[in-house]
Amino acid sequence: MIIKRSTGIVSSEITDEKLYTNRRQFMKQTGSLALASLAAGFLPSTTLGCQTGADAANPASALLPDELTPWEAVTGYNNFYEFGTGKEDPARNAQGFVTIPWEVKVSGEVEEEKTWDFEELVGGLEVEERIYRMRCVEGWSMVIPWNGFPLASLITRLKPTSKANFIEFKTLHDADRMPGQKRAVLDWPYTEALRMDEANHPLTLMVTGVYGKTLPPQNGAPIRLIIPWKYGFKGIKSIVSIRFTQKQPLNTWRASIPGEYGFYANVNPEVDHPRWSQATERRIGEFRRRDTLMFNGYADEVASLYSGLDLRKNY
Ligand SMILES: Nc1nc2c(c(=O)[nH]1)N[C@H]1C(S)=C(S)[C@@H](COP(=O)(O)O)O[C@H]1N2
Ligand SMILES: [Mo]
C-alpha cells in the first residue's frame, strides 16, 4: 500500500483495529503468536520476524506465548526524552506536536545532498505490517505491530555512494516544539547510527504507523527507525536528518555514558549493563519476568552480521 498522510495510513488494505481485536482474542485462545501468524496469513498484512516457537537455548522462554502489547501501553508508556523523562510524559507532552510539513535533510556520502519533503521522501514506498518484539535496555519489553517499509528501500532511493559505511540519523532539535530539550538531560539532537549492512537488513524498518494508524507523536511521528534485535534506544524518533558517513558516527547514549552504552546495542542476555543484569525482562502487562533471548530472538536472521565480532567488547 501507499502512504497517504492526509488520511493517515489507514486504508482498506491494512488490518483495521477490529481485526486486531479479533486477532488478539484469537491469540488469547491459542496462546501462541506462531499460530496467530498462521492466521495472519489470511489477512492482507505481512507478518515477519515473529519467531516464537521453541528456542533450544532457552526452553523456559519458549513456553511463554507472545501477545500483542495493548495499544494503551504502546502509546502511553514511552521513552522520548524530548518530551520528558517520565514514561507517561511523552503521551501528555507530545500532544499537538505538528508533523506537517516535515523535512528530512539527506547529506554526506550521497550522489546528491538534498532536503526532502516527507511526502516526496516516502511517497510510493510500500508500507507493510511487522509484528516485532521490542526490548528496552531498561529491562521492559513489548510486542508491537508496526507499519513501515524496509530502510533498505529508502536507501536505494537516496543513492549513497560506495564510500558510505554508516548511516546516521538525527531527531528534530527545537526546544519550542520539544519542551524536554529545554533541559540538558542529553546532548541534543538525539543521534543514532547503523552500519550499512545493518541498515540494509530486511528486518530494519522505517516506521510511519502502529496498529494500522498514523504514528502518534509520542512514538516518533512522522517517521522513526526500528531495529528489532537491538535495544530500543537505537530506534530514533522524529527523524529530520539522514547522513551517510565513512566513519562510525557517535550515537547520543554512547556519547553521554560511554561506560554503559556502545554503538551496537544488540540485545544480549549474556552481557550485563554495568548497573543491572540483562538476562531477563518484564513484558509490559505481565507479572513474571521472562528470559531475554540472544538478539531479542532474531539470532537466526541477524547473527551472521556479527561473525568475527567479540560481542562482549562490542556491546
Ligand atoms: N529521539 C528519541 N528517540 C528515542 C528515544 C528518545 O528519548 N528520543 N528513546 C529511545 C528508547 S530508550 C526507546 S526504548 C524507544 C521507545 O519507543 P516507544 O516509546 O515507541 O516504545 O525509543 C527510542 N527512541
Ligand atoms: Mo529504551
Side-chain angles (χ1 to χ4, degrees):
M1 63 166 289
I2 304 301
I3 298 177
K4 286 215 188 73
R5 286 199 76 223
S6 44
T7 56
I9 57 163
V10 184
S11 84
S12 57
E13 288 173 87
I14 203 152
T15 317
D16 67 25
E17 232 187 341
K18 208 160 65 211
L19 228 48
Y20 275 111
T21 312
N22 290 343
R23 177 154 11 145
R24 277 182 58 203
Q25 266 153 17
F26 178 81
M27 283 194 299
K28 281 212 179 85
Q29 283 156 17
T30 62
S32 155
L33 191 61
L35 280 170
S37 301
L38 278 178
F42 299 102
L43 301 176
S45 53
T46 317
T47 306
L48 199 149
C50 279
Q51 162 207 335
T52 37
D55 181 331
N58 212 329
S61 286
L63 299 174
L64 301 173
D66 280 326
E67 289 184 24
L68 291 185
T69 301
W71 163 267
E72 291 71 27
V74 171
T75 60
Y77 187 91
N78 303 100
N79 268 340
F80 199 172
Y81 279 17
E82 285 83 343
F83 292 103
T85 51
K87 300 286 175 256
E88 289 166 17
D89 290 344
R92 191 174 48 242
N93 299 333
Q95 290 313 314
F97 178 64
V98 176
T99 58
I100 301 172
W102 192 267
E103 286 182 339
V104 179
K105 182 184 170 191
V106 177
S107 63
E109 294 294 345
V110 271
E111 279 181 22
E112 187 202 354
E113 294 196 334
K114 174 177 162 179
T115 298
W116 295 68
D117 180 68
F118 179 84
E119 310 288 342
E120 188 191 12
L121 185 80
V122 304
L125 297 177
E126 207 171 312
V127 173
E128 306 164 35
E129 178 201 289
R130 301 279 185 89
I131 298 172
Y132 281 162
R133 276 191 298 274
M134 306 301 302
R135 171 62 154 81
C136 177
V137 76
E138 294 166 354
W140 45 273
S141 64
M142 299 192 189
V143 180
I144 303 184
W146 299 114
N147 307 100
F149 47 84
L151 173 55
S153 35
L154 180 61
I155 290 174
T156 304
R157 174 169 290 184
L158 301 181
K159 299 199 177 82
T161 71
S162 60
K163 287 184 187 159
N165 298 319
F166 297 90
I167 180 169
E168 178 205 72
F169 303 86
K170 287 185 189 291
T171 296
L172 176 70
H173 189 188
D174 183 344
D176 291 335
R177 297 167 66 190
M178 296 181 144
Q181 290 177 337
K182 289 179 178 139
R183 291 170 54 212
V185 283
L186 289 173
D187 190 9
W188 313 114
Y190 197 103
T191 303
E192 261 308 336
L194 297 171
R195 238 170 41 191
M196 282 304 279
D197 60 341
E198 300 179 310
N200 278 314
H201 192 281
L203 287 177
T204 303
L205 276 199
M206 290 301 271
V207 162
T208 53
V210 66
Y211 265 104
K213 295 177 186 294
T214 302
L215 201 60
Q218 60 268 37
N219 293 94
I223 188 163
R224 60 94 56 93
L225 180 67
I226 289 292
I227 318 106
W229 70 92
K230 294 179 181 283
Y231 291 117
F233 72 82
K234 296 294 286 184
I236 183 171
K237 296 175 169 180
S238 304
I239 294 164
V240 295
S241 163
I242 298 176
R243 191 166 66 98
F244 294 93
T245 69
Q246 272 186 277
K247 285 197 210 140
Q248 182 178 295
L250 185 57
N251 48 314
T252 295
W253 279 104
R254 187 179 192 195
S256 67
I257 322 180
E260 298 188 4
Y261 304 108
F263 175 78
Y264 286 95
N266 291 320
V267 175
N268 189 340
E270 290 163 16
V271 176
D272 289 345
H273 185 280
R275 290 185 279 137
W276 59 81
S277 162
Q278 292 290 25
T280 65
E281 67 199 57
R282 185 174 65 89
R283 179 68 52 83
I284 296 299
E286 291 179 359
F287 179 69
R288 187 157 83 81
R289 291 184 74 87
R290 291 170 176 255
D291 290 346
T292 287
L293 304 178
M294 190 68 193
F295 294 111
N296 205 25
Y298 299 95
D300 287 352
E301 290 92 337
V302 303
S304 62
L305 293 175
Y306 308 104
S307 57
L309 205 64
D310 181 345
L311 295 175
R312 293 197 160 269
K313 285 191 186 131
N314 296 279
Y315 53 82

